[in-house]
Amino acid sequence: GGGVFAGPRPTPDQMALNQALVACATAAKVLDTFDLALEDGVEASTVNIVTAIHRVAKTLSPVKDALAMRSDPSALKRVVEAARARLRSDASSFDARSLASSF
């Protein structure tokens, strides 16, 4: 497609992270994947952050994930903090056009 691209092009690491996040079947796995990427030095894009939040919401199963979430309750907080920091530094990257054209 030859659509107009609004926003910075994702890096290969950011594209790989997004693919990994989408493949996660549980909220705990989403959070682990996001944390591991950050530990490996990946600078999460706005799309990565939004994808992580969306996947947690979509896959969260209180029964399946309760133990994992209790074992590391700060994992979700780290994703939310990343979103908060990005909103403060570049709120325009969360607009619908920027997010939609990033995929």
Side-chain angles (χ1 to χ4, degrees):
V4 175
F5 185 81
R9 297 250 178 232
T11 67
D13 285 342
Q14 291 168 337
M15 289 188 294
L17 173 56
N18 228 58
Q19 291 173 346
L21 291 168
V22 169
C24 293
T26 67
K29 183 66 176 166
V30 171
L31 298 172
D32 287 345
T33 300
F34 190 85
D35 274 349
L36 287 172
L38 296 183
E39 288 172 13
D40 287 344
V42 176
E43 184 179 332
S45 69
T46 301
V47 172
N48 296 147
I49 296 165
V50 170
T51 299
I53 292 168
H54 175 257
R55 293 299 298 164
V56 166
K58 186 171 182 173
T59 62
L60 188 62
S61 166
V63 174
K64 285 194 308 187
D65 293 322
L67 181 60
M69 299 297 256
R70 275 196 298 258
S71 69
D72 188 6
S74 61
L76 182 56
K77 184 178 179 183
R78 287 190 289 276
V79 176
V80 173
E81 286 298 321
R84 187 170 151 215
R86 182 62 50 87
L87 279 166
R88 285 185 175 163
S89 68
D90 185 16
S92 66
S93 68
F94 281 90
D95 74 7
R97 183 181 182 123
S98 294
L99 291 173
S101 65
S102 297
F103 291 103

